[in-house]
Amino acid sequence: MRILLSRITAALVFYKLKRRMALLTALFAFLYHLPQVYKWLLKPYYIASLFMSVAFLLVRKTPGICEHLSTQREDGNSCDFDWREVEILMFLSAIVMMKNRRAITIEQHLGNIILFCKVANVILFFRLDIRLGLLYLTLCIVSLMTCKPPIYMGPEYIKYFSDKTIDDELEKDNRVTWIVEFFANWSPECQSFASVYADLSLKYNCAGLKFGKVDIGRYSEVAKKYRVSTSPLSKQLPSLVLFQGGKEIMRRPQVDKKGRAVSWTFTEENIIREFNLNELYQKSKKLGKTKGEKFERPSESVFAPVPEEEEPEAETITAMDTESKKDK
């Protein structure tokens, strides 16, 4: 019995130490990246968004202003939230938690928080005073037009296509496999995915495997040709398409019969697994060693080709007619 108790005690002590080490590791990692976080958050977009997100809180809690506001509290304290405002804020917190379950980057987490905080502020201000609601809505529109989210400017091995270069580049060398992202600058999902796609290009770019991007918000003809919808309702942005020999092999997300994208999370792990990047990279990097040799089309592909509808071949029908004549 004593031995069992001692083992349980030792296991509990080990668990507590392990948990503390995990917390310390996370704390040290945060402190190490703290200068970069400060530099990132001090951009005009995040400063303006932070102010807009806490605007109602500041108005409701600031002495000298809150005394002149209306309230539904029984004690008449206009400098504190009433029960309806607390209900709205709790509902907002639940929505943010649900949306952030699918977020994969810090930008997506912050984007969801900022978006729903602004929506809650609009509702709260209009409920408090229609004049304050119109003023806040005007400020939101002005900040949206003047302060745009920062674009990813880090290192990457990505070639940017236009409507005139994409076809020639994809068909230029049949030995090269291309992974192309179809994106739009106005899409928050595309902006959040930019850093993930850049990291993949740094890890897997080689002579036989290349990464490209094309802005279908700018080149609408490319969107039509490659069947990628730019409508926000279709949820097809961003779309990743793999090309081998100039032909599409696979894409994510897939599209159903109604033209809507099948739900898929753009994490680095999902992309590596679905596109089989590790095996594809090992086969593609050999191309750099054999570029001087005579080109032969690879006999095997990592992926099965996209099935296409085939018409009955005339040669097969002719052969069947010949055999029937011989039998006669």
Side-chain angles (χ1 to χ4, degrees), residues 119-133:
V119 171
N121 274 271
V122 169
I123 297 171
L124 291 169
F125 273 119
F126 270 105
R127 181 177 173 273
L128 182 64
D129 191 327
I130 190 172
R131 293 170 296 179
L132 292 176

Side-chain angles (χ1 to χ4, degrees), residues 104-228:
I104 58 176
T105 62
I106 298 176
E107 290 88 345
Q108 284 183 323
H109 282 283
L110 284 178
N112 290 334
I113 294 172
I114 290 170
L115 173 62
F116 288 103
C117 281
K118 289 179 179 179
V119 171
N121 274 271
V122 169
I123 297 171
L124 291 169
F125 273 119
F126 270 105
R127 181 177 173 273
L128 182 64
D129 191 327
I130 190 172
R131 293 170 296 179
L132 292 176
L134 290 172
L135 176 61
Y136 182 80
L137 190 60
T138 304
L139 290 175
C140 286
I141 296 172
V142 172
S143 65
L144 181 65
M145 296 176 64
T146 56
C147 298
K148 295 183 179 180
I151 301 174
Y152 176 79
M153 299 297 290
E156 59 184 22
Y157 286 137
I158 298 174
K159 184 176 182 63
Y160 287 80
F161 299 127
S162 67
D163 54 345
K164 297 179 180 179
T165 61
I166 182 170
D167 295 334
D168 294 337
E169 199 66 40
L170 293 178
E171 299 172 0
K172 185 177 180 181
D173 190 343
N174 290 336
R175 297 171 296 179
V176 176
T177 299
W178 282 93
I179 297 178
V180 180
E181 178 195 354
F182 294 83
F183 75 102
N185 282 325
W186 50 262
S187 170
E189 291 80 7
C190 295
Q191 294 169 4
S192 302
F193 180 61
S195 59
V196 177
Y197 192 58
D199 289 339
L200 287 171
S201 70
L202 293 173
K203 292 177 182 178
Y204 291 98
N205 184 80
C206 61
L209 177 60
K210 297 185 181 296
F211 293 77
K213 294 179 75 169
V214 57
D215 185 0
I216 57 175
R218 182 180 178 184
Y219 305 111
S220 57
E221 294 299 325
V222 176
K224 292 179 181 178
K225 180 175 181 179
Y226 291 96
R227 304 184 306 280
V228 181

Side-chain angles (χ1 to χ4, degrees), residues 250-303:
M250 65 174 294
R251 71 167 61 197
R252 291 293 182 274
Q254 294 177 318
V255 182
D256 59 19
K257 295 180 179 179
K258 296 182 180 180
R260 290 182 58 86
V262 179
S263 180
W264 197 72
T265 306
F266 280 89
T267 61
E268 186 171 327
E269 294 78 11
N270 284 349
I271 296 170
I272 293 173
R273 182 181 65 254
E274 292 289 326
F275 287 83
N276 204 5
L277 286 185
N278 290 321
E279 182 180 350
L280 192 60
Y281 174 74
Q282 294 299 327
K283 291 185 176 182
S284 299
K285 69 179 183 179
K286 299 177 183 178
L287 179 61
K289 301 177 183 179
T290 59
K291 269 195 171 182
E293 300 177 4
K294 186 177 179 181
F295 165 68
E296 293 182 3
R297 189 182 182 87
S299 57
E300 295 182 359
S301 175
V302 179
F303 302 93

